[in-house]
Amino acid sequence: MEYTKKIDQKWQEFWQANNTFKVCVKNIKKPKYYCLVMFPYPSSELHVGHGRNYIIGDAVARYKRMRGYYVLNPMGWDAFGLPAENQAIKHNIHPRAWTLKNIKRITQQLKSWGISYDWEKEIATCFPQYYRWTQWLFLELYKKGLAYKKEAPVNWCESCKTVLANEQVIEGKCERCSNQVSQRNLKQWFFKITDYAQRLLDDLDKLKEWPQRVKLMQKNWIGKSVGVTIKFSVKNLDKPLNCFTTRVDTIFGATFLALNYQHPAVIKLIDDSDNKQEILKFISQTKKEEASLLRSQDFEKKGMFTGEFAINPMTGAKIPIWIANYILSGYGTGAIMSVPAHDKRDFEFAKKYQLPITEVIKEPKAKDQKIKANKEEAYEGEGNLVNSGDFNGLASNEAKEKIADFMEQENIGARETNFRLKDWLVSRQRYWGAPIPILYCKECGEVPVEDKDLPVLLPEVDRFLPTGKSPLAEDKDFIQTKCPRCNRPAERETDTMDTFVDSSWYYLRYISPGQASAPFVKEDVDNWLPVDQYIGGVEHAILHLMYSRFITKFLADQKKISFDEPFVKLFTQGMIIKDGAKMSKSKGNVVAPDYIIEKYGADTMRLYILFMGPPQKEAIWQDEALQGSRRFLQRALRLVDKLKNFKEDKNQGDKAGQKELLLRKIHSTISEVTGDLEGDFQFNTAISRIMELVNQIYKSIQQGVEKEIFAQAVDTVFLLLSPFTPHISEEVNSLLGHKGTVFNRSWPKVDPKMLKKDEGEIAILINGKVKDKMVIDFSLSKEEVKTKALAQIKVKKIIADKSPKKIIYVKGKIINIVI
């Protein structure tokens, strides 16, 4: 039997004609399973680097179906936003035409790969029937005071000509085009995600089946800090300067204050300064500094003295107030108390400008030596207080509490919790997005569009190139409208929404994509969600995943849904690397899937991608290894031909116990492959085990084996391969006489009697003398053997070495414990 593309086409047509993967979300009689892969930006056609997560998701969905679940496996398109619009501009085509063209092309590709989507559940965020509900979501947030407009310093990408959320700035660069990001003061729309900061942090503990690194990334981005806001009085200011610190134990070492240039007190502080013009010039230069410098520990710290002083409330000392380029406006108050002896950045700044450095924390076990002006580094750890008045000698933790108590009693400070997380900036000065449903009326002010008037349709425009101003601002027919409150002339908001608003709720829409009167049906959504398995790239750990968690919690608070986390399990796949880099058209290292499918078949590509290595890690694409996958499939298929022509020799007998040997191999392979798929999706090891079974079948038929056992073995091979290579498995399933699709069959079951235990007695020798004996199962894991041995002989450390079947007792030195 030869595997050709015709087999792919035959079974893809069968699945489509028979609605094999269609799901009815109501009246479910089986346990449900919602398997979801992050939907793609339809900005260009797919290459094999994109294919890994879709093929992983498909393997999971097919496996779960065979395990008895009613599987929902939908697909859609994250169609609005910069990815599609930038590519459309590059190709000199309207974003709508470009997007629809790519949706059609990617749909063809996914079908040619044999991905088992329920295409009747398809959604696209750029269609009015979808973004009408994105606008509804905006208005729901607006009603609750969680969507608001304000002027604020924002991230600006000059290349994309739009603002960016903090989460879209990666090491100071735009996450879409890698252009350096600068700061601007603009009036923008925000979602008040900070109201949910504590819940987003606390509920990470609920996510037991998320990768730890993703949870850590979210925890660090939320950035909870517990500390004290301290009041520093300033002679020429009406109110004190407030500085937040997590290290109030170092207050006696605060020798200057440093302000961000945007701090509201700056203008008044420098008003009478002799060098006001120089300070303004410095501020202008700082504005132009790239955001990457402001987020780096190693860039050159610069500043200007304002000419004013503050009073350290604990020492009474006058300390200078500086404007410094390393102080961020987005954290705390935008003003910090600077303690150069115990902060690296403050230390560098103080050394440069010859400011006092006063040690107030003595490092544990350190020599009794003060930090001198020529010392090369700050000590940032905790210890015992020195040079700190009545608090001398206290440990840092105790001092923090007692100093905070004192400050609150004297009304010079107060305990406070701050978060690094800032409100989500959602407005964009670009064309290709959902219009923000707000009107501006001279009489009524800011007015939300009424629900009956949704959707606010995105108009067709000819001029959509980015200029820094929304292209919709040039469309008078779009802008001019009537106020729903007073019926007088009003104007529409011309900014569009960030594409991450569209994707923050799409997993809900799949359940009822054609629903016209609501974004979803609550009863059905509550039945199917949260998503059982979510699959996608770790690059979305902060952006999409954080926003989706926020929106889910908001909708739960409004009683729209009955769960407050969107995804139970999260799997983040690794990238495919070629020629030392991530696949990219710009790098010229992409591999076209069409060529592979034409030459080797879709299942060859699928098998190779799943066999490349652990799916959560990066994998290197090798063309020769792809051919190896093809050879294995052909070798497995030859077994079908051999079975068809097999003539059993009744007189040959069961040489070397081949029947039992092959049966045990069949059932051990089923057990091991099932374990691989139920765990961390170790597809590579699962496929390797199937390859070993194929090898054993060839050995057994050479030695002589019953046809019935041979047929069972071949059937098992292709049942186990079916989630990975569905086309070939369907074909073999048909050739073996089974009716309908292989995916209506059950996953093969294990006969426990066929799982032979490899047992033996071991003698435990310590210092050459037998101390004990025990029988162990050598198929157990090292940890299981260790636990049993510890319980029996009560030693501290035992490591099982299953290969030579001996245990090594570790206690100071290594002593062999022989069998």
Side-chain angles (χ1 to χ4, degrees):
M1 176 182 171
E2 184 76 16
Y3 172 41
T4 67
K5 186 181 176 183
K6 289 182 179 179
I7 292 176
D8 294 345
Q9 294 170 336
K10 171 184 174 180
W11 289 103
Q12 287 164 17
E13 290 170 3
F14 174 89
W15 296 330
Q16 183 170 346
N18 290 275
N19 291 317
T20 302
F21 306 112
K22 181 180 177 180
V23 169
C24 177
V25 298
K26 297 180 182 294
N27 303 318
I28 306 167
K29 296 179 181 179
K30 293 182 179 181
K32 66 90 183 172
Y33 191 87
Y34 188 175
C35 181
L36 184 61
V37 174
M38 294 180 186
F39 65 171
Y41 300 123
S43 53
S44 62
E45 68 177 14
L46 303 178
H47 54 67
V48 297
H50 296 122
R52 196 178 197 190
N53 60 327
Y54 305 114
I55 292 170
I56 287 172
D58 188 58
V60 173
R62 290 177 183 272
Y63 167 71
K64 287 295 183 179
R65 176 175 173 140
M66 297 180 76
R67 293 288 285 176
Y69 290 92
Y70 194 49
V71 178
L72 174 62
N73 184 27
M75 177 46 63
W77 315 102
D78 195 0
F80 265 150
L82 293 179
E85 186 174 0
N86 285 347
Q87 284 296 313
I89 292 169
K90 180 179 178 181
H91 290 85
N92 194 29
I93 186 173
H94 194 280
R96 187 183 306 279
W98 178 256
T99 299
L100 296 179
K101 174 185 175 183
N102 281 303
I103 287 175
K104 183 178 179 180
R105 171 62 180 138
I106 298 172
T107 300
Q108 292 171 343
Q109 289 185 290
L110 292 173
K111 288 181 176 179
S112 75
W113 299 355
I115 308 296
S116 58
Y117 293 134
D118 178 358
W119 286 102
E120 290 190 9
K121 302 290 189 294
E122 182 182 10
I123 61 174
T125 62
C126 66
F127 292 161
Q129 59 264 39
Y130 182 91
Y131 71 74
R132 178 254 188 273
W133 298 110
T134 302
Q135 292 171 340
W136 167 86
L137 177 61
F138 180 99
L139 293 175
E140 289 295 302
L141 289 157
Y142 184 83
K143 292 173 190 175
K144 299 298 179 180
L146 295 173
Y148 66 94
K149 193 172 189 179
K150 71 170 184 178
E151 183 170 305
V154 296
N155 304 301
W156 178 264
C157 176
E158 185 59 29
S159 174
C160 294
K161 299 290 185 183
T162 191
V163 298
L164 303 171
N166 289 338
E167 293 84 352
Q168 291 168 302
V169 180
I170 310 299
E171 295 182 353
K173 296 180 180 180
C174 172
E175 58 110 15
R176 290 308 313 166
C177 69
S178 298
N179 191 61
Q180 293 291 345
V181 172
S182 59
Q183 296 278 305
R184 285 190 180 185
N185 271 347
L186 295 172
K187 204 166 186 180
Q188 300 291 309
W189 283 97
F190 294 84
F191 286 168
K192 207 169 185 182
I193 192 174
T194 51
D195 275 14
Y196 284 75
Q198 188 64 55
R199 284 173 62 188
L200 289 167
L201 182 63
D202 292 343
D203 287 355
L204 288 172
D205 292 336
K206 293 182 180 180
L207 307 176
K208 306 296 183 185
E209 298 185 81
W210 279 39
Q212 195 59 37
R213 65 168 177 160
V214 173
K215 293 198 288 184
L216 183 60
M217 289 167 74
Q218 289 208 5
K219 180 181 178 181
N220 290 339
W221 190 261
I222 295 168
K224 181 179 179 180
S225 298
V226 178
V228 176
T229 295
I230 305 171
K231 300 175 182 178
F232 290 83
S233 60
V234 181
K235 183 178 180 181
N236 292 330
L237 293 183
D238 298 333
K239 56 184 179 180
L241 280 174
N242 291 330
C243 298
F244 175 79
T245 180
T246 60
R247 292 297 306 272
V248 72
D249 55 321
T250 65
I251 178 63
F252 287 87
T255 58
F256 64 98
L257 297 188
L259 275 57
N260 176 269
Y261 72 89
Q262 297 176 99
H263 193 286
V266 165
I267 298 301
K268 191 163 186 179
L269 286 170
I270 67 173
D271 195 41
D272 296 326
S273 178
D274 293 337
N275 60 342
K276 180 178 179 179
Q277 293 307 313
E278 291 180 46
I279 296 173
L280 291 173
K281 183 179 179 182
F282 168 76
I283 290 173
S284 178
Q285 291 172 342
T286 303
K287 284 181 181 179
K288 296 176 183 178
E289 283 187 337
E290 296 165 352
S292 58
L293 294 181
L294 301 180
R295 288 169 171 81
S296 169
Q297 287 286 333
D298 301 322
F299 79 105
E300 183 184 0
K301 280 66 175 177
K302 300 176 184 177
M304 291 287 291
F305 176 42
T306 64
E308 295 289 346
F309 293 85
I311 303 298
N312 184 322
M314 296 300 285
T315 66
K318 291 173 62 178
I319 58 176
I321 303 172
W322 287 68
I323 301 168
N325 68 345
Y326 68 95
I327 309 303
L328 299 179
S329 62
Y331 181 77
T333 63
I336 67 163
M337 68 170 205
S338 299
V339 185
H342 304 292
D343 181 273
K344 179 184 176 183
R345 295 185 306 168
D346 294 345
F347 180 80
E348 293 173 4
F349 192 86
K351 291 276 286 184
K352 179 174 181 176
Y353 293 105
Q354 298 181 337
L355 297 167
I357 301 174
T358 302
E359 179 190 26
V360 292
I361 303 292
K362 186 193 292 186
E363 184 177 354
K365 298 182 181 179
K367 293 181 180 180
D368 188 12
Q369 179 182 353
K370 293 182 179 180
I371 294 180
K372 306 293 185 183
N374 61 355
K375 189 171 176 63
E376 295 305 317
E377 62 182 5
Y379 171 63
E380 296 185 319
E382 296 185 342
N384 294 322
L385 271 64
V386 295
N387 300 321
S388 299
D390 294 340
F391 301 95
N392 277 341
L394 293 180
S396 290
N397 285 335
E398 183 181 3
K400 287 177 184 178
E401 296 303 317
K402 291 194 172 183
I403 293 174
D405 288 342
F406 177 83
M407 287 185 166
E408 289 182 332
Q409 290 168 10
E410 299 297 321
N411 195 30
I412 56 174
R415 288 178 172 87
E416 190 173 314
T417 298
N418 272 336
F419 292 92
R420 180 175 182 260
L421 179 69
K422 298 303 169 190
D423 283 343
W424 175 12
L425 195 162
V426 299
S427 48
R428 298 291 180 269
Q429 293 69 48
R430 296 290 293 256
Y431 167 67
W432 192 234
I436 293 174
I438 295 290
L439 310 174
Y440 300 101
C441 171
K442 290 183 179 180
E443 296 295 325
C444 305
E446 194 176 88
V447 180
V449 173
E450 294 187 350
D451 188 76
K452 66 180 180 63
D453 295 326
L454 296 179
V456 177
L457 292 172
L458 180 68
E460 289 287 340
V461 299
D462 296 325
R463 298 169 61 185
F464 50 82
L465 295 180
T467 63
K469 186 179 180 181
S470 172
L472 299 184
E474 304 298 322
D475 188 334
K476 291 183 179 180
D477 291 337
F478 172 78
I479 295 172
Q480 294 174 356
T481 186
K482 294 283 187 180
C483 175
R485 291 179 182 171
C486 67
N487 204 36
R488 293 179 179 176
E491 292 188 350
R492 295 191 186 279
E493 170 64 66
T494 57
D495 282 356
T496 55
M497 277 187 260
D498 177 17
T499 185
F500 284 102
V501 181
D502 305 320
S503 62
S504 68
W505 71 280
Y506 81 106
Y507 44 90
L508 300 166
R509 185 65 176 173
Y510 279 133
I511 308 303
S512 45
Q515 184 71 21
S517 59
F520 45 78
V521 178
K522 183 179 186 301
E523 179 185 359
D524 295 337
V525 163
D526 285 345
N527 188 28
W528 276 94
L529 278 91
V531 173
D532 295 284
Q533 181 66 66
Y534 201 34
I535 299 167
V538 74
E539 66 270 18
H540 297 294
I542 293 171
L543 290 155
H544 165 60
L545 291 172
M546 181 85 78
Y547 298 152
S548 297
R549 293 183 63 220
F550 161 54
I551 293 300
T552 299
K553 292 181 185 301
F554 167 72
L555 291 172
D557 288 349
Q558 307 312 308
K559 310 300 181 186
K560 305 292 185 185
I561 55 178
S562 300
F563 50 93
D564 66 354
E565 285 290 344
F567 316 116
V568 176
K569 294 183 180 179
L570 175 67
F571 182 85
T572 56
Q573 84 282 351
M575 292 186 295
I576 294 179
I577 304 298
K578 190 172 188 293
D579 302 330
K582 175 184 175 182
M583 283 191 184
S584 169
K585 285 185 177 180
S586 63
K587 294 184 175 70
N589 66 343
V590 300
V591 177
D594 290 3
Y595 168 78
I596 295 172
I597 291 171
E598 187 67 37
K599 186 172 183 180
Y600 300 112
D603 284 350
T604 302
M605 182 182 79
R606 289 173 61 109
L607 188 76
Y608 174 54
I609 286 175
L610 294 171
F611 188 54
M612 295 176 83
Q616 68 272 32
K617 296 183 178 179
E618 288 184 354
I620 299 173
W621 181 274
Q622 296 175 312
D623 292 336
E624 59 273 20
L626 176 70
Q627 296 169 22
S629 293
R630 166 73 175 183
R631 287 193 296 271
F632 163 70
L633 289 178
Q634 284 302 140
R635 188 165 190 259
L637 286 170
R638 283 196 295 273
L639 289 174
V640 180
D641 296 328
K642 287 182 178 292
L643 177 62
K644 181 180 179 181
N645 301 315
F646 186 76
K647 293 182 179 180
E648 186 177 329
D649 185 353
K650 298 289 185 180
N651 298 319
Q652 189 176 30
D654 186 12
K655 286 186 180 180
Q658 287 301 314
K659 176 179 178 179
E660 180 178 353
L661 186 64
L662 184 53
L663 279 172
R664 289 193 181 281
K665 186 63 176 176
I666 289 170
H667 287 277
S668 65
T669 303
I670 295 170
S671 176
E672 291 165 347
V673 169
T674 303
D676 288 333
L677 299 187
E678 288 292 340
D680 295 328
F681 302 148
Q682 298 304 314
F683 304 108
N684 57 319
T685 57
I687 293 167
S688 179
R689 298 183 203 281
I690 298 170
M691 289 176 173
E692 291 173 4
L693 174 57
V694 169
N695 291 339
Q696 183 58 55
I697 296 172
Y698 272 100
K699 290 178 183 177
S700 293
I701 58 177
Q702 287 175 356
Q703 293 291 325
V705 70
E706 296 176 14
K707 184 172 184 177
E708 180 183 354
I709 306 303
F710 181 17
Q712 181 183 346
V714 173
D715 191 38
T716 300
V717 165
F718 288 96
L719 280 174
L720 295 178
L721 277 173
S722 57
F724 317 137
T725 59
H727 307 89
I728 286 175
S729 297
E730 288 276 29
E731 186 70 11
V732 172
N733 185 66
S734 176
L735 291 172
L736 293 180
H738 300 285
K739 302 298 182 183
T741 173
V742 69
F743 298 102
N744 283 344
R745 294 181 64 188
S746 296
W747 188 252
K749 292 184 172 64
V750 177
D751 183 351
K753 296 177 183 177
M754 290 291 105
L755 298 179
K756 181 179 179 181
K757 290 185 178 180
D758 185 11
E759 291 182 339
E761 184 178 72
I762 63 169
I764 302 169
L765 285 76
I766 298 177
N767 295 328
K769 295 181 180 181
V770 176
K771 293 293 184 181
D772 204 347
K773 293 182 179 180
M774 66 183 293
V775 174
I776 66 165
D777 174 5
F778 291 110
S779 68
L780 294 175
S781 69
K782 291 182 179 182
E783 283 301 313
E784 289 170 320
V785 173
K786 174 183 173 183
T787 301
K788 286 180 176 291
L790 282 171
Q792 183 153 334
I793 61 172
K794 299 179 181 178
V795 295
K796 291 183 179 178
K797 290 184 181 178
I798 289 184
I799 302 172
D801 182 351
K802 291 186 291 185
S803 179
K805 295 185 180 177
K806 63 187 177 183
I807 287 183
I808 298 171
Y809 166 52
V810 182
K811 190 175 181 182
K813 59 180 180 178
I814 297 176
I815 302 170
N816 286 340
I817 297 176
V818 298
I819 296 173

